[in-house]
Amino acid sequence: MPHKPQKSREERLAESFFPVNPEDLKYAISKPYKPLDISSLIKIEKKGENIEQRTERKTYRKKNAYRKTSKTTRKTTKENKSNKLKFKEFKIPKIKLKPGGYELIITEKPQAAWKIASALGKSTKKAINSVPYYEVERKGEKIIVGCAVGHLFTLAQKNSGSEIPVFDLVWVPNFYVRKNDFSKKYYNALSKLMKNAGVLTVATDYDVEGEVIGLNVVRFIAAQPDAGRMKFSSLTEKELNKAYETKKTSINWGQAIAGETRHFLDWFYGINLSRALMNSLRSIGKFKVMSIGRVQGPILNIIVKKEKEIQAFRKKPYWQVFITLESPKIELIYNKDIFKKEELKKFENLIGKTGRAETKKFQQIIPPNPPFNLTALQIESYRLFGINPGKTLATAQNLYLAGLISYPRTSSQKIPPSVNYKETLQKLAKKYKVENLITREKPVEGHKSDSAHPAIYPTGEDEGTNIEALSGDEKKIYDLIARRFLSLFMSNAVVENKKIKAEIEGLIFMKKGSSIKEKSWMQIYPIKIKEKEIPDLNGTIKVSELRTEEKETHPPKRYTPASLVSLLEKKNLGTKATRATILETLYQRGYIQGQSIKATPLGISLINTLEKHSPIIIDESLTKEFEQEMGSISASKKGHTEKKDKIIEKAKKTIRQIIKQFAKKQKKIGEEISQANQTLIKQQREESKLKTLCPVCKKGNLRISYSKKTRRYFVSCDAYPDCKNTYSLPPNGLVKKSEEICEYCGFQKLMLIKKGRRPWVFCFNPECPTNKKRIEAYRKKREEENQQN
């Protein structure tokens, strides 16, 4: 039999087209879907072999091709399929706390376990199947500090299948759902440590998610009704010892049940609504991974509304009028923008005319900004360094685990004396050499508070982690937090503002200026105030020059990741910990793109479709209502389970209503979404097209493509498969179009963007004289290096 001809590397790369935008790399591509017609299947029965005859037959196979199974485990295909669909029930182990046993402290992450063990006494590191735990001796008592690794349990559907609505959910270990999940060894290690424990203490992060992690370990691994609880906001030795000595006798049931309720709601909405969307596509023979949820929908709706405002915007011309005075020679602007050109006539005869001017001065007192909560930190990190909210949270979490800052997932703008800020202030003021600027005994505070944690502050500790060794985003964000903290203890800045007001022939002209009189906290914190010195002007003035400037109105600005997170906090959509993650999901699904967030055709069409057929999905008020109800669970002292059940029943009723709406217009919804997806793909291909004609076929244009297989960008011809011309590009970076055209060969230049480096604009044509010279110089350099060696 003749061998199938192998495709060249260029052909394989050309076939792997994918749009260039970085957000688009994770997008799914629409594929035809053919439903299975059961009636067309033919049942074929084949006479089986005798097992003895089969085992006697000599077989040849590759080594380790498959594992031979015993006779007792051989099953029919039908049985195997049914086993795959069968739900694996999780049984809570029967464990009793051992009288006189050690105290077992459960932490959320391995690094937190090390910090707590080191703080509580003399600790010895040990391991179970490479999972670390610590044996601590404290006042003659034995303490074991073990760790989870985030959530060890997840919600799973009891009866497998894709039918909707689905509400039969139970908690199971992660490895029941995801085969070979890395959390299994942490589950096993904690299970083993439980056997000799006499007392149980939860020391996970003191927030909703941390409480759920602790609750699930207590009830599903330890099989206990409750446990002790340590509460701390930083991983410093002093605070951890205090948290241990003053630990509570019970977990925070309000936070725990509120968190569990959120998990159920997110699962109910996310899975059922996402399946409804994908079923609508399947009904017309299409497939695409799509998702929508109780918070995703309203957030996407906000972005789409902004996009529609921008699309509906029409530019309008307007004019600004300027006069220059004879003495002093200073330019003033008319106090209104002119939108009717004929109104400019009233300014025609102003040259040589006189009028009167006066200067008003007033001081502006600017206090330091309040301490950071998570949202404020995310906004400032993006403003100053361009670090997106998700990366800011991840970086702050690392700094917290290193013991350098307090817990970052907080809404508070207050730093209480209990955190011992005076000691931290002395250390940091000396480090930053600003002792002479410290004037306040107490820090400036904002109005927002959080019952669980104070505002984000630097701990001032440097044990085990050298602050000087920090680099990249960690260094930037730590430095920003430290500077913000120091500024809280400094006096107010003083800015002197001036305003010149001149009246000539009944027309008012103005000029504004400002200068900083006392910088104070502005010397340490990165803030910019544009200073503009203007003279004092009072009395008679004379016009020497006149000019007009034509301009156009601008459309509304798009949201940035930081400004959107800020808006979501004001609207109470999502939580401080989940907003950035939801935003990432919208990027991944292809609903939005760019750092100046733009809704894609798919995102716009999805909102239009939901608006027509099921507006409740994108209703902000419903989501806010759920958030308020979960907040009431968290704040209440009793009745948690009853409130949870009430919220969940309300959610089920809403979801059943939505599913009915979808079922009535399933095909129409599918057609609208599919059409939008095709538009998105065409748009992405158009955006990746270059201005360079393919030199091989002379028909197609070259375009930037991306291979999912090699994970590299390359340039191909858009006349593929008729033309298989390709050009390789430098790896390990983002490739974008440049507006420059190569002066030597006429190819459109590209831009390579790598983190921490300046963008490199280059010509990708290997036949270009610039490339030949560069390659030749590189070869000579290598030859010289080889000769020297």
Side-chain angles (χ1 to χ4, degrees):
M1 182 178 175
H3 288 290
K4 187 179 178 181
Q6 294 291 318
K7 293 181 181 178
S8 69
R9 179 174 177 274
E10 287 76 18
E11 289 178 78
R12 292 197 304 274
L13 288 174
E15 289 172 352
S16 300
F17 168 79
F18 205 70
V20 64
N21 285 344
E23 299 90 347
D24 299 336
L25 305 185
K26 302 170 185 176
Y27 290 175
I29 292 176
S30 180
K31 295 181 179 179
Y33 169 79
K34 295 180 181 178
L36 181 65
D37 185 3
I38 303 296
S39 61
S40 66
L41 299 178
I42 302 170
K43 187 176 180 181
I44 299 175
E45 295 184 359
K46 186 177 178 182
K47 187 177 179 182
E49 301 179 291
N50 185 291
I51 291 176
E52 292 177 7
Q53 291 175 344
R54 199 163 72 191
T55 52
E56 286 174 4
R57 185 185 299 147
K58 194 172 183 179
T59 58
Y60 297 90
R61 62 178 179 268
K62 289 182 181 178
K63 189 178 180 181
N64 297 329
Y66 62 88
R67 187 181 296 172
K68 189 174 179 179
T69 56
S70 64
K71 294 178 186 178
T72 56
T73 58
R74 290 194 188 110
K75 296 181 181 179
T76 62
T77 307
K78 188 175 180 181
E79 287 172 336
N80 282 331
K81 284 183 178 177
S82 66
N83 277 342
K84 284 181 183 177
L85 296 173
K86 190 177 179 182
F87 174 74
K88 187 178 179 182
E89 189 176 350
F90 170 66
K91 292 181 180 179
I92 299 172
K94 294 178 180 179
I95 292 177
K96 288 185 179 180
L97 294 179
K98 194 174 180 180
Y102 52 68
E103 180 179 5
L104 177 59
I105 297 176
I106 300 151
T107 68
E108 192 166 323
K109 291 181 177 68
Q111 199 170 350
W114 169 66
K115 280 281 184 183
I116 291 170
S118 302
L120 295 185
K122 185 181 178 183
S123 64
T124 306
K125 183 179 179 181
K126 296 187 176 183
I128 299 172
N129 191 25
S130 76
V131 173
Y133 72 93
Y134 300 86
E135 194 172 298
V136 181
E137 186 186 330
R138 182 183 175 90
K139 298 177 182 178
E141 297 290 327
K142 182 180 177 182
I143 301 171
I144 298 294
V145 184
C147 63
V149 60
H151 285 282
L152 297 180
F153 292 82
T154 187
L155 288 171
Q157 191 176 334
K158 225 174 183 181
N159 299 305
S160 298
S162 58
E163 296 80 13
I164 52 174
V166 178
F167 301 120
D168 57 330
L169 301 182
V170 288
W171 287 103
V172 296
N174 290 343
F175 57 87
Y176 272 42
V177 177
R178 296 185 290 273
K179 192 178 178 183
N180 300 324
D181 189 80
F182 74 98
S183 67
K184 184 177 182 179
K185 61 183 184 179
Y186 289 86
Y187 173 94
N188 290 337
L190 282 176
S191 297
K192 194 169 182 180
L193 293 171
M194 288 293 175
K195 291 176 182 177
N196 294 311
V199 180
L200 202 59
T201 300
V202 173
T204 53
D205 292 343
Y206 199 80
D207 61 6
V208 168
E209 288 305 307
E211 214 68 47
V212 173
I213 291 167
L215 172 66
N216 284 341
V217 171
V218 169
R219 60 184 175 179
F220 297 138
I221 297 181
Q224 298 303 308
D226 206 343
R229 185 61 161 111
M230 285 175 64
K231 179 186 176 182
F232 47 87
S233 294
S234 71
L235 294 172
T236 61
E237 186 176 331
K238 194 176 286 184
E239 185 163 356
L240 290 172
N241 274 286
K242 184 182 176 183
Y244 181 79
E245 293 296 337
T246 60
K247 64 187 172 188
K248 298 177 181 179
T249 56
S250 178
I251 66 171
N252 187 325
W253 283 98
Q255 280 197 155
I257 300 303
E260 185 174 46
T261 307
R262 187 183 301 281
H263 276 267
F264 273 92
L265 287 183
D266 288 346
W267 206 101
F268 285 163
Y269 273 86
I271 296 298
N272 284 300
L273 302 190
S274 298
R275 282 182 183 176
L277 281 177
M278 291 167 70
N279 286 347
S280 67
L281 282 170
R282 286 194 184 99
S283 70
I284 61 164
K286 299 283 184 180
F287 174 78
K288 177 175 170 56
V289 176
M290 297 193 74
S291 69
I292 200 73
R294 69 178 185 89
V295 186
Q296 264 190 58
I299 292 177
L300 180 59
N301 188 36
I302 289 168
I303 297 167
V304 169
K305 277 183 179 176
K306 178 68 74 175
E307 195 62 37
K308 286 179 178 178
E309 279 181 45
I310 293 168
Q311 289 176 356
F313 180 81
R314 296 292 176 266
K315 291 179 181 179
K316 290 181 180 178
Y318 70 95
W319 292 262
Q320 289 181 330
V321 182
F322 300 86
I323 59 169
T324 302
L325 303 182
E326 193 174 80
S327 180
K329 206 166 182 67
I330 184 172
E331 189 174 66
L332 310 181
I333 185 173
Y334 183 58
N335 67 339
K336 294 178 184 177
D337 292 333
I338 308 296
F339 285 89
K340 293 179 180 179
K341 196 171 184 179
E342 55 268 24
E343 288 185 21
L344 294 174
K345 290 179 181 178
K346 62 186 178 185
F347 299 96
E348 287 177 354
N349 301 316
L350 281 184
I351 296 176
K353 295 289 176 70
T354 59
R356 291 196 64 80
E358 66 172 338
T359 302
K360 287 186 177 179
K361 299 177 186 179
F362 60 95
Q363 282 194 342
Q364 184 182 1
I365 307 299
I366 306 176
N369 291 311
F372 280 132
N373 58 19
L374 178 59
T375 303
L377 177 62
Q378 288 171 321
I379 291 168
E380 285 292 88
S381 294
Y382 189 84
R383 177 182 74 87
L384 294 166
F385 314 122
I387 303 172
N388 69 48
K391 186 71 186 294
T392 297
L393 174 55
T395 305
Q397 182 70 16
N398 290 340
L399 294 170
Y400 161 70
L401 289 171
L404 298 177
I405 66 168
S406 62
Y407 190 64
R409 291 182 178 91
T410 178
S411 302
S412 178
Q413 292 178 319
K414 299 181 185 298
I415 300 180
S418 58
V419 306
N420 195 22
Y421 52 70
K422 287 188 177 180
E423 190 178 325
T424 303
L425 179 62
Q426 285 177 352
K427 289 181 182 178
L428 290 177
K430 187 176 180 181
K431 175 181 166 60
Y432 282 86
K433 299 177 182 177
V434 290
E435 297 102 316
N436 61 320
L437 294 176
I438 305 299
T439 57
R440 297 179 193 265
E441 285 291 320
K442 293 181 180 180
V444 170
E445 294 184 329
H447 65 278
K448 294 179 183 177
S449 61
D450 188 323
S451 59
H453 297 282
I456 302 168
Y457 63 90
T459 62
E461 294 204 359
D462 194 10
E463 294 177 18
T465 306
N466 188 354
I467 293 173
E468 300 301 326
L470 291 175
S471 61
D473 293 344
E474 287 184 350
K475 184 177 181 179
K476 289 174 183 174
I477 289 176
Y478 176 81
D479 185 62
L480 184 63
I481 293 168
R483 289 176 181 275
R484 181 81 156 218
F485 174 78
L486 287 168
S487 72
L488 304 174
F489 297 89
M490 297 179 184
S491 56
N492 298 336
V494 179
V495 176
E496 185 177 79
N497 294 302
K498 281 185 184 181
K499 184 179 178 182
I500 297 172
K501 182 180 177 183
E503 186 174 347
I504 303 151
E505 300 284 308
L507 302 171
I508 306 296
F509 292 85
M510 304 175 75
K511 183 81 173 180
K512 291 180 180 179
S514 62
S515 60
I516 300 173
K517 293 301 179 186
E518 291 180 30
K519 283 193 170 182
S520 186
W521 63 271
M522 291 182 181
Q523 294 180 59
I524 184 74
Y525 191 77
I527 189 167
K528 287 182 181 178
I529 289 183
K530 193 175 180 181
E531 292 187 82
K532 195 172 186 180
E533 291 284 351
I534 59 171
D536 291 347
L537 189 60
N538 293 289
T540 305
I541 54 169
K542 188 175 182 181
V543 179
S544 63
E545 294 175 29
L546 172 77
R547 71 179 181 92
T548 58
E549 198 172 298
E550 185 176 355
K551 295 184 177 181
E552 286 183 331
T553 53
H554 295 287
K557 284 186 177 180
R558 289 191 169 93
Y559 296 113
T560 65
S563 66
L564 185 59
V565 165
S566 176
L567 179 68
L568 297 179
E569 184 190 44
K570 290 173 187 172
K571 286 178 170 283
N572 195 25
L573 287 173
T575 68
K576 47 189 173 284
T578 60
R579 289 173 190 127
T581 308
I582 293 167
L583 201 54
E584 273 304 310
T585 303
L586 295 178
Y587 278 116
Q588 290 169 9
R589 294 289 178 255
Y591 302 154
I592 60 174
Q593 63 183 22
Q595 290 301 296
S596 178
I597 301 172
K598 180 181 179 182
T600 65
L602 180 60
I604 294 170
S605 175
L606 178 57
I607 291 300
N608 289 342
T609 301
L610 294 176
E611 236 170 1
K612 279 191 285 183
H613 306 298
S614 189
I616 196 169
I617 297 177
I618 56 175
D619 185 9
E620 285 180 31
S621 60
L622 180 68
T623 301
K624 285 179 185 176
E625 198 175 317
F626 278 131
E627 292 293 343
Q628 287 167 0
E629 288 171 346
M630 285 185 284
S632 72
I633 294 177
S634 189
S636 60
K637 301 287 183 183
K638 57 184 179 179
H640 306 118
T641 307
E642 291 80 4
K643 288 180 180 178
K644 169 193 163 186
D645 293 341
K646 188 178 176 182
I647 293 169
I648 286 176
E649 282 307 312
K650 181 181 175 181
K652 285 180 180 179
K653 186 180 177 182
T654 305
I655 289 165
R656 288 191 185 102
Q657 180 187 340
I658 293 168
I659 298 302
K660 282 181 183 177
Q661 291 171 343
F662 262 77
K664 287 177 184 176
K665 300 178 180 179
Q666 193 177 59
K667 284 195 174 181
K668 188 169 180 59
I669 292 170
E671 285 165 359
E672 289 175 9
I673 294 171
S674 177
Q675 187 178 357
N677 190 42
Q678 293 303 317
T679 304
L680 174 64
I681 292 170
K682 286 177 185 175
Q683 178 186 307
Q684 290 166 350
R685 287 182 174 173
E686 194 62 36
E687 286 172 357
S688 67
K689 189 185 288 187
L690 301 174
K691 297 173 185 174
T692 307
L693 191 71
C694 176
V696 175
C697 69
K698 310 288 185 187
K699 293 179 182 176
N701 269 68
L702 297 180
R703 67 183 177 195
I704 304 171
S705 305
Y706 183 82
S707 167
K708 289 187 285 182
K709 187 176 179 181
T710 62
R711 296 183 181 181
R712 284 183 61 169
Y713 291 99
F714 64 100
V715 172
S716 64
C717 177
D718 65 6
Y720 177 85
D722 296 331
C723 178
K724 296 182 173 65
N725 181 29
T726 61
Y727 298 87
S728 61
L729 295 176
N732 308 323
L734 170 66
V735 178
K736 285 188 171 184
K737 291 192 293 186
S738 162
E739 293 304 313
E740 294 182 36
I741 303 295
C742 181
E743 57 185 352
Y744 295 97
C745 66
F747 273 47
Q748 185 174 352
K749 289 186 176 183
L750 302 179
M751 183 187 293
L752 179 68
I753 301 171
K754 290 187 179 183
K755 190 176 179 182
R757 296 188 185 181
R758 287 183 179 179
W760 175 39
V761 178
F762 66 97
C763 176
F764 63 91
N765 180 11
E767 300 301 319
C768 180
T770 55
N771 282 326
K772 285 186 175 181
K773 285 179 184 178
R774 184 170 52 82
I775 293 167
E776 188 60 36
Y778 175 75
R779 283 175 182 165
K780 283 182 180 179
K781 186 179 177 182
R782 290 301 300 270
E783 284 173 7
E784 289 172 2
E785 287 174 356
N786 291 334
Q787 287 173 1
Q788 288 174 1
N789 294 333

